[in-house]
Amino acid sequence: MRVVLQRSKAAKVVVADQIIGQIDSGLVLLVGVTHGDTIDDAAYLAEKIVNLRIFEDENEKMNHSLLDVGGSILSVSQFTLYGDCRKGRRPNFMDAARPEEANELYEAFNEELRKKGIHTETGQFGAMMDVQLTNDGPVTLILESKK
C-alpha cells in the first residue's frame, strides 16, 4: 500500500455537489493499493500514520502525533498512486489492485484508523471526487507498507 499524507487545517470531499466527507485539522490521506497487499499492510500503515510525530509542539518542533493533537483523518482512495509514467505519455495502471480487492483493503485500512480512536471520514471509492484542503505547513509525506 502507498499513502500520500498531507497535514491539513481543513479538508472535504465533494461528489456530485454533495459534501460526503469533511474534517477540521488533521491529515488528508490519498490511499493506493497494489497487488499482494494484505490486512497486515493496512494495519502497519494505520499504526505508523497515527503515531507519526509531524505536528508541532510549543517550540515549533515536530514532536506530536495525530493522537497527541486529537486530529481527524480524511481518507481518499487513489488508484493513480500506482501509475507508472516511465514509458510513453500515458500512465500505466497495471500495478494498481483490481477495484474489488482495493476497496476491501481501503475499507479495512479506514477501520484500522477508527479502531485507534481517530475520527475518520472518507471519500467515495471509485467516484469522481473533488478533494479540497488547506495544507498546513505544507507537510506532505509518502509512506509505503513495503520497501
Side-chain angles (χ1 to χ4, degrees):
M1 290 181 75
R2 184 175 291 160
V3 174
V4 174
L5 169 157
Q6 293 184 298
R7 199 171 68 182
S8 175
K9 293 181 179 180
K12 65 182 174 181
V13 175
V14 178
V15 175
D17 296 324
Q18 298 282 354
I19 297 172
I20 62 166
Q22 184 170 11
I23 64 166
D24 291 324
S25 65
L27 300 174
V28 173
L29 307 178
L30 304 178
V31 182
V33 178
T34 191
H35 309 288
D37 283 343
T38 67
I39 190 67
D40 290 339
D41 294 291
Y44 167 79
L45 283 173
E47 178 72 20
K48 176 66 86 174
I49 288 165
V50 302
N51 288 294
L52 272 177
R53 293 175 15 188
I54 57 173
F55 291 89
E56 294 168 351
D57 64 14
E58 60 281 353
N59 297 315
E60 298 183 0
K61 300 285 183 193
M62 286 190 195
N63 277 327
H64 294 303
S65 71
L66 186 67
L67 289 170
D68 295 332
V69 300
S72 299
I73 285 179
L74 178 60
S75 174
V76 179
S77 62
Q78 187 73 53
F79 81 94
T80 61
L81 291 180
Y82 281 101
D84 184 348
C85 299
R86 291 177 291 178
K87 293 183 181 176
R89 300 198 190 287
R90 182 178 303 153
N92 174 328
F93 297 107
M94 296 298 290
D95 288 341
R98 305 255 331 129
E100 306 78 29
E101 175 188 357
N103 189 32
E104 184 177 318
L105 275 176
Y106 170 67
E107 293 297 338
F109 171 72
N110 293 328
E111 188 55 34
E112 289 290 324
L113 294 168
R114 291 181 182 112
K115 284 182 192 175
K116 297 181 182 322
I118 301 297
H119 175 78
T120 303
E121 299 270 327
T122 65
Q124 181 179 336
F125 187 90
M128 184 61 75
M129 296 175 273
D130 294 333
V131 180
Q132 302 169 20
L133 74 131
T134 302
N135 199 316
D136 182 14
V139 173
T140 303
L141 300 167
I142 301 171
L143 295 92
E144 297 205 47
S145 60
K146 294 179 176 69
K147 290 186 178 183

